[in-house]
Amino acid sequence: MSKSPALFRKTRILEGQIDEFLDCITEAGLIFQRAIKIYLEQGASDEFAASTKQSNEIETHGDNLRRIIETQLYEQTLIPDLRADVLKLLEDLDNLINIIQANCYRFTIEVPDIPPEYHKDFMDLTETVVTCVDTVVMSARAFFRNIEAVRDHNSKVMFYETEADKISTKLKTKAFRSDLPKVEKIHLRYFVERIDELANEAEDIADSLAIFTIKRSI
Amino acid sequence: MDVVVLLFLTSGLFLGWSLGANDAANVFGTAVGTRMVQFTTAAVVCSIFVVLGAVLSGSGAAHTLGKLGSVNALAGSFMAAFSAALTVYWMTRLGLPVSTSQAIVGAIIGWNLFSGSITDTNALFKILGTWVACPLLAGLIAAPLYKLTRIFLKRAKFHLLRLDAYTRAALIFAGAFGSYSLGANNIANVMGVFVPVSPFTDFNIAGMLTFTGIQQLFLIGAVAIGVGVFTYSKKVMLTVGDGLMPLSPVAAWVVVIAHSIVLFLFASEGLEHLLASGGLPTIPLVPVSSSQAVVGAVIGIGLLKGGKNIQWKILGSIGAGWVTTPIISAVVCFVALFFLQNVFNQQVYREVHYSLMPAAMDKAVKLGLPAEDLKDLESQTFKSASKFRAAVRKQTFLSKPQESKVLYYAEISRTSITPEVLGTIDRDWLGEERSKALDSLSGRTFTYKWQLSESLSAKSDLWKSLKETTANKTYNKQIKSKLDYLHRTFAIDD
């Protein structure tokens, strides 16, 4: 990073904190992807528990960062014309980590029984939603630094969200047409929907970002 | 200083206060309204730079206003400034767009009509032209500047927060420049009418720097503007933000810069000198309306964006303001002068007499003016410029420049160079050689202004004006102000 004059040091620190917050979301996505992989291979093992704990820690760190950033934005009356938009963006992004953490806990508590023939679909779904989350984080970064790129990232978010919908529909159809007991079918559907929720949330954030970008460019 | 003098200056201070309250909002309104800059920061920066602009560069625009009409009695100046302030206040109350520049021009014309002085049409058209040019120029500056800023920002790819921090700093710098330009350009509106009757005398600071009477007058006016900024502008600033069109902080910066450049162009003697010495056409130094410069800049940006968000009605009301404000102000001034003179028994103008005495007739012959046609008027005294001009027009047809010459050579302004008064003059400011020339005229009396200046020129070349070119304007203005000083100091009654 280029050396800024002392006058803008506070700004530089805050920029760093926003970047760190966005890193948290990307990292949480990767942790979630690894946690699902472990669960599918080993069930609710100690290694899975460690991943859940990691998601918990990153959620706490993300929350702290968000609060610090929000407080500074208010205290220093920064970006008065876009502050409300940025605060909403940060809270929506924070919600992605919350969903990841909640999903890890759901697996720990409910221990769903996922038959091996669904493992690949579950892994595909997870990878797609995590890519979707990763892309929306890139879009958010672009909103701060390079608004021209927001549109490109957003279109990718839409693409991954549609892909995730396709995989989840395929997965749910396959489950409900199988011989599994009804209760397991419903349980599987529930987990598919909870994982897919991440992509839906990412899409909503991308929609908001599109509007914020128009406002920023006026 | 006389208390009455102070009392009469109050109307100028009132006008200054209202200018500070309203026009400071043009400079810092968007920045404070959008909370990009704190009010206290804005008020401090604004006040300091208004004072600097007024004292250091204020005389250029005041000179043009002085040419329009020279209000020659303190009570008259009081009423001109008061009428202008009243018009501004009243029209603001009615929600009509108003500019102090237009109000004061109207008031001066009102005084001219009342006192029988002649309104210099050249100066008037010069002023009217700049009123139209001011918003146009602001728009022409703002549109490309906005485009360039956007291209730069697109390339620079600043972080949103960094951009925010840079914009804040830029808004403060632009505001400082804007305040300086406002002080330089608009102090003429506030104190211009008091220049010919200024009660202040020049003094030297440590023999190095001369603090002229006009600068002292402008300092007081600028302080009144500063008081207006601190006491009342916050309210206006907070409402001005989204008046005409919603603006982003970056667009607001462009507007302030464009406004400041326009005001600066119409006030800078330095720039005028630079352009003239490069053989380029110069920009007239005229007080213009800062509100209209802002409106012009905003509309320039709006048009660049396709013109969808602009409220076109405002343009119509600006056009209407060009006509209504000076007329209302002139009428108010005329009526108020009547009351001040006849009810309160105040001298609102000093009668300037005109007479073609033999010396003036000789001069007319030498200059090739049709002296024969004017023979009938010889030695008759006229009590005002307009009466004299009417008599001249009855006798013969003269071209505009010839008419101005006859008026100049016939204007009576008696002076007597007495040893007592010679002992009190500011010799440091006049300079050694000029003072010597003046001393050599001790004991002599003069009927006309031109007689004194010709006698001084005969004694020393330093009293001679240079050829009338824009490059020589500053020098000639200095000579003129020194001669004005002598006319005031050595004046005797008829």
Side-chain angles (χ1 to χ4, degrees):
Chain A
M1 194 185 291
S2 63
K3 203 166 181 254
S4 308
L7 186 67
F8 301 114
R9 192 169 292 148
K10 269 187 182 174
T11 310
R12 207 182 61 207
I13 292 169
L14 192 57
E15 279 171 30
Q17 283 166 333
I18 291 178
D19 278 336
E20 197 183 338
F21 174 72
L22 294 175
D23 291 343
C24 282
I25 301 160
T26 312
E27 204 181 323
L30 293 172
I31 291 169
F32 182 62
Q33 194 175 327
R34 198 180 59 199
I36 297 297
K37 190 166 179 270
I38 294 167
Y39 185 84
L40 293 174
E41 285 169 2
Q42 307 170 11
S45 63
D46 287 347
E47 211 177 327
F48 178 76
S51 291
T52 304
K53 193 177 164 226
Q54 225 179 335
S55 76
N56 193 29
E57 283 164 3
I58 205 138
E59 196 272 339
T60 312
H61 185 50
D63 271 349
N64 287 339
L65 274 173
R66 179 179 56 79
R67 283 193 199 102
I68 292 169
I69 296 163
E70 286 178 355
T71 310
Q72 286 188 68
L73 285 178
Y74 265 110
E75 275 181 358
Q76 295 172 32
T77 59
L78 300 175
I79 42 168
D81 52 332
L82 297 168
R83 195 190 308 141
D85 295 346
V86 170
L87 292 181
K88 184 177 183 310
L89 176 66
L90 294 178
E91 272 161 26
D92 290 348
L93 286 168
D94 190 39
N95 197 32
L96 289 173
I97 315 184
N98 293 345
I99 296 172
I100 287 170
Q101 185 205 27
N103 278 345
C104 286
Y105 274 107
R106 278 191 194 103
F107 274 96
T108 310
I109 296 162
E110 299 180 25
V111 202
D113 193 5
I114 304 171
E117 61 267 34
Y118 297 99
H119 282 193
K120 188 182 175 301
D121 291 334
F122 255 91
M123 210 53 233
D124 282 351
L125 178 63
T126 309
E127 278 167 11
T128 309
V129 298
V130 168
T131 313
C132 194
V133 166
D134 209 20
T135 314
V136 88
V137 170
M138 287 203 273
S139 185
R141 259 189 235 280
F143 171 73
F144 285 107
R145 285 186 193 280
N146 176 20
I147 51 168
E148 308 292 309
V150 170
R151 203 186 150 96
D152 296 337
H153 294 304
N154 276 359
S155 62
K156 284 183 191 161
V157 172
M158 307 305 163
F159 172 79
Y160 290 123
E161 196 275 337
T162 316
E163 283 301 298
D165 276 350
K166 279 185 201 164
I167 299 169
S168 67
T169 309
K170 194 178 97 185
L171 223 166
K172 284 189 275 186
T173 313
K174 193 172 157 187
F176 277 93
R177 293 204 178 141
S178 70
D179 297 331
L180 287 171
K182 199 94 174 174
V183 65
E184 281 186 28
K185 286 177 184 173
I186 293 169
H187 208 193
L188 273 181
R189 186 203 62 192
Y190 176 73
F191 273 88
V192 168
E193 283 175 351
R194 293 289 69 77
I195 293 171
D196 192 32
E197 193 188 349
L198 268 174
N200 294 334
E201 180 71 15
E203 189 192 38
D204 289 347
I205 296 172
D207 284 338
S208 303
L209 268 171
I211 302 293
F212 299 161
T213 306
I214 294 170
K215 274 171 82 178
R216 219 197 123 174
S217 57
I218 288 174
Chain B
M1 197 193 304
D2 204 341
V3 181
V4 181
V5 172
L6 275 180
L7 196 74
F8 280 135
L9 276 179
T10 52
S11 69
L13 302 184
F14 174 37
L15 192 60
W17 177 83
S18 61
L19 187 98
N22 284 298
D23 291 36
N26 294 327
V27 181
F28 274 110
T30 343
V32 173
T34 55
R35 314 269 174 193
M36 288 292 280
V37 176
Q38 281 184 346
F39 173 72
T40 325
T41 314
V44 170
V45 172
C46 188
S47 305
I48 291 173
F49 281 89
V50 160
V51 170
L52 285 176
V55 176
L56 300 178
S57 312
S59 62
H63 189 68
T64 311
L65 210 57
K67 262 204 242 164
L68 183 67
S70 180
V71 183
N72 61 12
L74 201 52
S77 302
F78 164 81
M79 201 35 92
F82 188 70
S83 310
L86 207 66
T87 309
V88 170
Y89 175 74
W90 185 51
M91 286 186 73
T92 311
R93 282 288 302 264
L94 291 177
L96 298 167
V98 65
S99 130
T100 42
S101 313
Q102 285 149 14
I104 199 74
V105 164
I108 291 173
I109 293 173
W111 182 88
N112 281 348
L113 291 173
F114 189 81
S115 63
S117 306
I118 292 166
T119 303
D120 183 340
T121 43
N122 281 340
L124 182 65
F125 283 120
K126 198 162 139 185
I127 291 172
L128 294 180
T130 56
W131 287 353
V132 183
C134 162
L136 278 178
L137 198 61
L140 285 174
I141 293 171
L145 184 64
Y146 181 69
K147 187 111 187 147
L148 283 174
T149 311
R150 284 193 67 170
I151 292 171
F152 169 72
L153 290 177
K154 215 181 245 186
R155 294 212 176 144
K157 291 191 173 43
F158 291 125
H159 191 282
L160 179 63
L161 291 169
R162 191 78 61 105
L163 177 65
D164 180 66
Y166 290 160
T167 310
R168 276 162 206 268
L171 277 170
I172 293 176
F173 281 116
F177 176 38
S179 307
Y180 184 90
S181 305
L182 181 71
N185 188 283
N186 276 23
I187 190 69
N189 294 335
V190 177
M191 285 289 156
V193 285
F194 293 97
V195 169
V197 290
S198 171
F200 301 102
T201 47
D202 306 350
F203 67 81
N204 254 292
I205 302 165
M208 304 275 289
L209 205 72
T210 307
F211 196 35
T212 66
I214 292 171
Q215 282 178 327
Q216 294 163 50
L217 193 67
F218 286 179
L219 176 68
I220 292 180
V223 170
I225 299 178
V227 173
V229 173
F230 268 98
T231 53
Y232 206 74
S233 71
K234 190 173 185 178
K235 230 175 164 177
V236 191
M237 281 185 190
L238 292 175
T239 50
V240 87
D242 52 354
L244 194 61
M245 199 179 87
L247 286 177
S248 66
V250 173
W253 173 80
V254 173
V255 168
V256 177
I257 285 285
H259 147 277
S260 313
I261 290 173
V262 170
L263 259 69
F264 185 74
L265 288 179
F266 284 116
S268 173
E269 286 177 301
L271 183 76
E272 187 189 39
H273 197 73
L274 196 75
L275 286 173
S277 52
L280 296 165
T282 55
I283 296 159
L285 305 181
V286 171
V288 288
S289 160
S290 70
S291 319
Q292 289 176 10
V294 164
V295 170
V298 173
I299 287 175
I301 294 177
L303 283 176
L304 191 74
K305 286 180 173 179
K308 270 180 266 173
N309 286 333
I310 305 169
Q311 297 180 17
W312 290 104
K313 259 168 84 181
I314 292 179
L315 264 193
S317 55
I318 288 177
W322 286 333
V323 184
T324 53
T325 314
I327 291 177
I328 293 173
S329 184
V331 172
V332 170
C333 186
F334 191 92
V335 174
L337 284 170
F338 180 81
F339 274 97
L340 195 61
Q341 181 181 264
N342 298 307
V343 180
F344 295 98
N345 240 349
Q346 293 292 322
Q347 187 195 18
V348 293
Y349 65 92
R350 203 165 38 79
E351 273 183 3
V352 179
H353 294 176
Y354 288 79
S355 180
L356 284 167
M357 294 185 190
M361 285 303 272
D362 286 350
K363 195 78 197 169
V365 172
K366 268 188 206 159
L367 290 169
L369 294 166
E372 278 304 309
D373 298 342
L374 300 170
K375 209 88 188 146
D376 289 352
L377 303 179
E378 194 170 347
S379 297
Q380 281 187 52
T381 302
F382 296 87
K383 284 192 167 178
S384 75
S386 54
K387 281 179 186 155
F388 177 65
R389 189 176 63 175
V392 170
R393 283 183 179 175
K394 215 182 247 179
Q395 294 295 322
T396 181
F397 174 79
L398 296 176
S399 66
K400 273 259 172 226
Q402 282 179 325
E403 201 174 81
S404 306
K405 272 185 189 164
V406 171
L407 276 160
Y408 173 69
Y409 287 107
E411 183 187 331
I412 291 175
S413 170
R414 291 183 203 279
T415 42
S416 175
I417 314 298
T418 57
E420 300 82 60
V421 185
L422 272 174
T424 64
I425 57 164
D426 184 348
R427 285 168 187 273
D428 287 336
W429 182 55
L430 290 178
E432 200 185 330
E433 198 182 323
R434 286 196 195 96
S435 302
K436 256 189 200 162
L438 182 65
D439 288 336
S440 68
L441 300 179
S442 179
R444 288 184 58 183
T445 54
F446 300 94
T447 309
Y448 297 107
K449 273 184 184 176
W450 56 268
Q451 285 178 317
L452 173 61
S453 72
E454 281 186 2
S455 302
L456 285 168
S457 301
K459 300 280 179 193
S460 162
D461 283 348
L462 284 182
W463 277 111
K464 278 184 186 158
S465 292
L466 300 174
K467 202 176 162 219
E468 289 248 348
T469 61
T470 322
N472 292 337
K473 213 168 142 184
T474 318
Y475 179 82
N476 287 348
K477 225 151 76 178
Q478 275 176 14
I479 299 290
K480 191 181 172 300
S481 78
K482 287 179 168 57
L483 283 169
D484 284 345
Y485 167 72
L486 297 188
H487 288 303
R488 279 200 308 272
T489 317
F490 293 100
I492 49 167
D493 291 333
D494 285 352

